[in-house]
Amino acid sequence: MAIKEHEFELLQDYRNEGAERAAKLAQYQADLSSARARLSELQTQYEHTFTESVKHGTDATDQLVKIDDDIALQKEVITRRERDARLAHAALPEGTISSVDLVDEYQNVFVPQVRAEYEPIVHAKLKMARDLLLSCIVDHREGEDAYGSLREEMVEISRANRYQGKTSAVMAIEHPTSVAKVMRSQGAINGVREVINQVSLFTNGHKPNDFEYIAEVPTKTKGAK
């Protein structure tokens, strides 16, 4: 492959800084999640104790009061954990690389660097592809001109042969270049159309069986046109 893949190094640095910050914030979030889970356990415990006391007609007042007190305290713990997580999120710096700087570096530095390397490669290939296709059409036209009058003369002779009884039918007279088999088609013009069709299909995922990737534009011999 002629296209070299470049790594956007600043993005990796940005990710590394973000990962460090996320790891620090994760502990505060873990403490908050743990506190909320404990509150849920206490609430479930209260509901279970209350339900069982009603079901069995037992007195669980003291136990329920204790659980209720624990629930109140746990809600205070959650409030503190939420505050700590919020303050930590605001206090921890985002890093030396801001997201704005990252996008700016990508758009104004990285993209132009890759583009400067990429454009000449593709441009040279497309120009050669265009020149080759147009050259095929030029060859077709020259072939038509070179052998057109000869074919017409042979057509007239074939007709005369039929009219003079020398042959039983007028023979179909072919043009030497127009019947050339190229790209599974007859004639250069149809061959060009077939190439364009295959290129169109390739852009949609269909790869010709005989496709060969060309990494660099080969040395070409310029004609007199």
Side-chain angles (χ1 to χ4, degrees), residues 136-147:
C136 286
I137 296 173
V138 170
D139 291 342
H140 164 75
R141 291 172 178 172
E142 289 185 347
E144 286 282 300
D145 292 342
Y147 300 104

Side-chain angles (χ1 to χ4, degrees), residues 181-193:
K181 300 292 184 179
V182 291
M183 295 303 295
R184 301 182 302 183
S185 299
Q186 182 171 299
I189 297 300
N190 288 329
V192 169
R193 294 192 181 102

Side-chain angles (χ1 to χ4, degrees), residues 8 37 61 68 91 99 119-120 137 149 163 166 175 216:
F8 186 31
T61 302
D68 227 4
S99 57
E119 284 181 349
I137 296 173
S149 60
Y163 296 148
K166 296 179 180 180
H175 188 287
E216 297 180 4

Side-chain angles (χ1 to χ4, degrees), residues 150-162:
L150 174 59
R151 176 183 175 276
E152 289 301 320
E153 184 175 354
M154 297 306 298
V155 169
E156 292 302 321
I157 293 175
S158 178
R159 288 174 180 169
N161 287 339
R162 169 66 182 86

Side-chain angles (χ1 to χ4, degrees), residues 121-131 217:
I121 296 173
V122 177
H123 176 80
K125 291 180 181 181
L126 288 175
K127 185 178 184 304
M128 172 162 275
R130 182 204 65 180
D131 290 350
V217 173

Side-chain angles (χ1 to χ4, degrees), residues 162-173:
R162 169 66 182 86
Y163 296 148
Q164 294 170 13
K166 296 179 180 180
T167 59
S168 59
V170 176
M171 183 177 294
I173 303 300

